[in-house]
Amino acid sequence: GCISLIEIRIPSSVISIGESICSGCTNLSQISLSSSLTSIDNLAFNGCSSLRQVTIPSSVKSIGNNVFNGCSLLTQITIAHTVESIGNNAFSGCSSLEQIIFEAPSSLTSIGYNAFNACSSLAQITIPSSLKSIENGIFNRCSSLEQITFESPSSVTSFGYNAFCECTSLSQIKIPSSVMSIGSNAFNKCSSLEHVTLSTSIKSIGRFSFSDC
């Protein structure tokens, strides 16, 4: 990484940011993204531990794997309504992340596994109605997460394993009626969980889903 780099501005001519473009740039604190940008590839800003805030332009359709992984000072992220997919581990380890804003009407249909793993400052999240599933470990170890809201009508049909594992501040959750399966360990070790509302549409609940609650 270019450890002396503190700011980067992507010009409007750029439509795609390549893999690992600024990976490991530990002093990078400000990013201005092109209004023509359509994709951000894997590891683009991985480990940029001085980065505090990012707005994804409304031209972007996909965010790759590990794009902001380990950006430990990142406090807020705004996801444009045009974004359709967020990759695996995209924001994993963003321990200062307090707010995730999904602009409406969201086009987001998929979020990869462990996307927000260990975002330990995140207190609440609203899941867009366009999202199809809660993949494995998406909010695993989000220890400050107290509130999970699903926009109605929800399109989520499944919760993967470890989806909300070790969300130790979560006290209640209402599972949308669209959900048909809950994976193993989905809410394992959610030690403050007191109330869970399940609908009659659920067909399967995996092993240890609510263990150690």
Side-chain angles (χ1 to χ4, degrees):
C2 299
I3 60 173
S4 297
L5 184 67
I6 59 172
E7 180 181 356
I8 186 166
R9 297 184 180 187
I10 308 296
S12 59
S13 55
V14 176
I15 60 172
S16 177
I17 292 179
E19 186 170 323
S20 301
I21 182 176
C22 292
S23 182
C25 294
T26 53
N27 286 309
L28 183 64
S29 59
Q30 186 171 348
I31 301 170
S32 298
L33 298 175
S34 161
S35 58
S36 303
L37 199 63
T38 60
S39 64
I40 305 173
D41 286 354
N42 302 342
L43 297 159
F45 301 103
N46 174 60
C48 293
S49 54
S50 296
L51 189 63
R52 293 181 179 271
Q53 186 172 329
V54 175
T55 298
I56 306 297
S58 59
S59 52
V60 172
K61 292 188 175 182
S62 65
I63 298 171
N65 301 333
N66 298 286
V67 168
F68 296 101
N69 185 8
C71 293
S72 55
L73 291 184
L74 187 65
T75 59
Q76 179 179 314
I77 181 75
T78 301
I79 308 291
H81 71 277
T82 52
V83 174
E84 298 172 359
S85 65
I86 296 174
N88 304 332
N89 298 294
F91 297 94
S92 181
C94 293
S95 55
S96 298
L97 187 63
E98 297 175 347
Q99 189 172 27
I100 304 166
I101 300 169
F102 296 105
E103 290 185 344
S106 179
S107 302
L108 190 65
T109 58
S110 69
I111 301 177
Y113 63 77
N114 294 326
F116 298 101
N117 173 56
C119 290
S120 54
S121 297
L122 185 66
Q124 67 89 26
I125 185 73
T126 298
I127 307 296
S129 60
S130 54
L131 192 68
K132 304 296 185 186
S133 64
I134 302 293
E135 293 295 337
N136 302 337
I138 284 187
F139 297 104
N140 181 35
R141 295 191 296 144
C142 290
S143 55
S144 297
L145 188 61
E146 298 176 345
Q147 182 178 346
I148 303 165
T149 304
F150 292 87
E151 283 186 353
S152 182
S154 177
S155 300
V156 172
T157 59
S158 63
F159 286 9
Y161 69 81
N162 290 340
F164 297 98
C165 183
E166 294 186 53
C167 290
T168 53
S169 297
L170 187 66
S171 62
Q172 62 181 355
I173 185 167
K174 182 178 181 179
I175 309 294
S177 60
S178 55
V179 174
M180 293 185 287
S181 66
I182 297 175
S184 301
N185 299 302
F187 294 94
N188 184 25
K189 297 183 180 179
C190 291
S191 53
S192 298
L193 192 61
E194 296 178 349
H195 302 285
V196 179
T197 304
L198 302 173
S199 80
T200 56
S201 61
I202 291 185
K203 305 300 181 186
S204 67
I205 300 176
R207 299 175 61 200
F208 307 114
S209 291
F210 298 96
S211 179
D212 292 328
C213 291

